[in-house]
Amino acid sequence: MFENLLYQDVSNSLAADIRNGRLPGALLFSGPVSSGKLTAALETARVLSCTGQHNGAWTCSCPSCVKHKSLVSPQLLLAGPRDCSLEITAAKNVFLKAQAENARYSTAARYLFLRSIRKLTLRFHEILWQSDDRLAKIASVMGTIEELLEQLDFSHELPDHGKLEKICSTLETDCKKLEDTFLYDSLPVQQIRNMSLWAHMTSREGKKVIIIENADRMLESTRNALLKILEEPPEDTVFILTTPRRGAVMPTILSRVRTYSFRERLPEQQSDVIRRIFHDETEYRTIDAYLRSFLPVKPAVISENAGIFFTAVMEGHIPDIQNIVKNCGTFAPRILFRIFLEELLSLQRPFLFSAEGTDASAELVQAVRSCLTNVTTYNQTPASSLEELFRDLAYIRKMHGGLHDARIC
């Protein structure tokens, strides 16, 4: 039980609560990015529905565990914003290398790649997207992805390596399209209502589990809708929320969940996770740094262009936004845009000099959030959104005499 959750003592608490029947109907997994919260949530879902004789061991081969390990269980819903593309690329490389070398970890690499994709596609389950105008377009992309995934599933023999590379590359491209075009940055309230209806349906196969990632990013209407479910949760459904910022979760929601705290792994532990999961011996001090090494544009280039944009703001010049967007690979995948905005906020911290710093910081954070929302929610182009951000930051600079310390969510 929880054998694949590495270097997190919280797994002992989770396992004990499950064995002793003390697990409540609503949980919150709180901890830093890349600390294993989603891994733990998916494992909790698998263990709760296990019908085998091994008490939820990863080696269990009962029908329920087989479905959960491949993330195709009808007892699971997964929602919430997440940047999936880098993990998919990393898993693809591991999978192809393992198959080419007939490595001893080939089966694990196969699971890794399949699961990395389904961590994305599960968020587009038709139950969640009912009544959404984009469902037909999403279904078209999803259909292509599912057809290709079927060829890689354990019920089929893998094709020759040349065809396998082509399938994996097509899957990678289609998943980036799905994520960049349709995945929200804040969970829509309609999806909460849809999952509520599903949660109240009687289950004949044991516990159903609903996982909501990055619960701190929910808007007020979505939080209120979720709160109504948690006030009277269905008996056979368990809700698992995850967040890197427990303090940003609504207090009334916190009062209705049991928090399990995940800690920041030590650098040497994160390096070991990379070696054991991704079979990469390159020295990376953090999992996040390892995944970002798969970006199509290197983080250093993003930082350089964020510096160009920031310098123009500070000096009152109009930056060459079209060139910045080009240098940053048009910000595809969209995690590049988030990294760019994070770097902007980091650059302005040394300029915290005025007594109006608190007000300026709040305005700055709001301007950056709006810039991100315009792209991820309202489909504004990065170029036009950055033009608007420049005007907002120039106004803040004029009103407060400088830019101030803040952080992007």
Side-chain angles (χ1 to χ4, degrees):
M1 193 182 295
F2 297 104
E3 295 96 327
N4 59 348
L5 180 59
L6 305 175
Y7 299 113
Q8 285 295 350
D9 295 336
V10 70
S11 62
N12 297 325
S13 300
L14 275 168
D17 287 346
I18 291 172
R19 290 194 185 100
N20 297 316
R22 295 197 303 257
L23 201 71
L27 322 174
L28 176 68
F29 291 174
S30 174
V33 173
S34 300
S35 58
K37 299 185 295 298
L38 180 58
T39 296
L42 293 170
E43 270 296 87
T44 300
R46 184 185 67 81
V47 171
L48 289 177
S49 68
C50 177
T51 59
Q53 303 298 316
H54 302 288
N55 298 318
W58 178 255
T59 54
C60 180
S61 58
C62 76
S64 179
C65 282
V66 169
K67 292 176 183 177
H68 269 283
K69 280 189 275 191
S70 293
L71 298 186
V72 293
S73 173
Q75 300 294 96
L76 174 67
L77 283 184
L78 173 61
R82 178 185 177 88
D83 295 310
C84 301
S85 60
L86 297 185
E87 183 179 346
I88 290 171
T89 299
K92 181 202 74 171
N93 289 356
V94 175
F95 175 53
L96 289 175
K97 180 182 178 182
Q99 297 305 316
E101 299 175 355
N102 195 25
R104 58 177 176 77
Y105 57 86
S106 293
T107 298
R110 194 171 180 176
Y111 269 122
L112 183 70
F113 185 51
L114 290 171
R115 285 168 63 90
S116 70
I117 292 176
R118 287 177 176 143
K119 286 177 186 177
L120 171 65
T121 58
L122 275 170
R123 296 164 209 272
F124 295 93
H125 197 294
E126 61 182 359
I127 288 175
L128 296 172
W129 290 81
Q130 287 177 5
S131 304
D132 194 293
D133 295 338
R134 296 173 294 172
L135 182 58
K137 294 180 180 178
I138 291 170
S140 177
V141 181
M142 283 284 291
T144 302
I145 292 173
E146 291 297 339
E147 286 178 10
L148 294 172
L149 278 180
E150 181 68 19
Q151 299 180 54
L152 305 184
D153 218 333
F154 285 91
S155 58
H156 293 77
E157 290 290 331
L158 292 176
D160 64 76
H161 196 72
K163 185 175 181 181
L164 186 63
E165 284 186 320
K166 184 176 180 180
I167 291 172
C168 291
S169 295
T170 303
L171 278 168
E172 180 184 22
T173 299
D174 288 347
C175 285
K176 286 180 179 178
K177 177 182 178 182
L178 185 67
E179 179 177 315
D180 287 344
T181 306
F182 299 109
L183 190 59
Y184 42 74
D185 196 59
S186 181
L187 184 66
V189 65
Q190 185 59 45
Q191 293 204 6
I192 295 291
R193 294 168 182 152
N194 291 342
M195 68 177 63
S196 176
L197 293 174
W198 181 80
H200 284 90
M201 294 178 182
T202 302
S203 172
R204 296 181 179 179
E205 301 181 28
K207 290 285 187 182
K208 296 186 293 186
V209 175
I210 295 174
I211 301 171
I212 301 176
E213 275 203 283
N214 292 302
D216 53 289
R217 292 196 208 172
M218 291 188 292
L219 300 177
E220 184 176 1
S221 58
T222 308
R223 295 197 302 263
N224 290 335
L226 176 62
L227 183 60
K228 290 179 181 179
I229 307 176
L230 298 181
E231 286 174 343
E232 297 182 12
E235 289 186 6
D236 62 350
T237 302
V238 174
F239 288 83
I240 305 178
L241 315 183
T242 77
T243 179
R245 303 185 307 146
R246 186 177 184 275
V249 178
M250 191 164 67
T252 45
I253 289 180
L254 290 177
S255 68
R256 288 166 174 79
V257 299
R258 178 184 297 171
T259 299
Y260 291 85
S261 297
F262 290 66
R263 63 181 178 82
E264 181 82 45
R265 295 180 177 113
L266 298 173
E268 55 268 26
Q269 293 173 334
Q270 296 196 50
S271 295
D272 190 49
V273 170
I274 294 167
R275 285 191 292 270
R276 292 169 66 174
I277 301 300
F278 296 99
H279 301 275
D280 193 316
E281 297 296 329
T282 309
E283 285 298 324
Y284 286 94
R285 301 291 285 172
T286 68
I287 297 170
D288 191 51
Y290 170 73
L291 292 176
R292 290 191 176 191
S293 71
F294 293 95
L295 286 168
V297 180
K298 296 301 181 185
V301 175
I302 301 295
S303 296
E304 179 184 355
N305 281 271
I308 292 171
F309 183 93
F310 180 76
T311 300
V313 172
M314 295 302 296
E315 295 179 353
H317 301 151
I318 299 176
D320 187 346
I321 291 176
Q322 294 296 334
N323 192 54
I324 288 173
V325 171
K326 179 181 177 181
N327 291 341
C328 295
T330 68
F331 294 107
R334 66 180 182 182
I335 187 177
L336 292 172
F337 198 60
R338 185 181 291 276
I339 294 172
F340 181 90
L341 296 180
E342 287 174 348
E343 184 64 21
L344 282 182
L345 290 174
S346 177
L347 287 169
Q348 61 80 45
R349 288 174 192 154
F351 294 86
L352 178 59
F353 292 130
S354 74
E356 296 83 9
T358 301
D359 291 338
S361 294
E363 292 176 21
L364 174 65
V365 170
Q366 185 57 48
V368 173
R369 281 179 176 169
S370 295
C371 181
L372 184 62
T373 299
N374 287 340
V375 171
T376 59
T377 302
Y378 300 111
N379 296 318
Q380 189 173 352
T381 66
S384 60
S385 186
L386 286 178
E387 288 171 1
E388 185 174 329
L389 178 62
F390 169 74
R391 291 192 294 271
D392 290 342
L393 296 187
Y395 177 78
I396 293 172
R397 177 179 179 274
K398 178 180 178 181
M399 295 301 295
H400 298 284
L403 298 178
H404 307 276
D405 191 31
R407 294 183 181 181
I408 186 173
C409 297

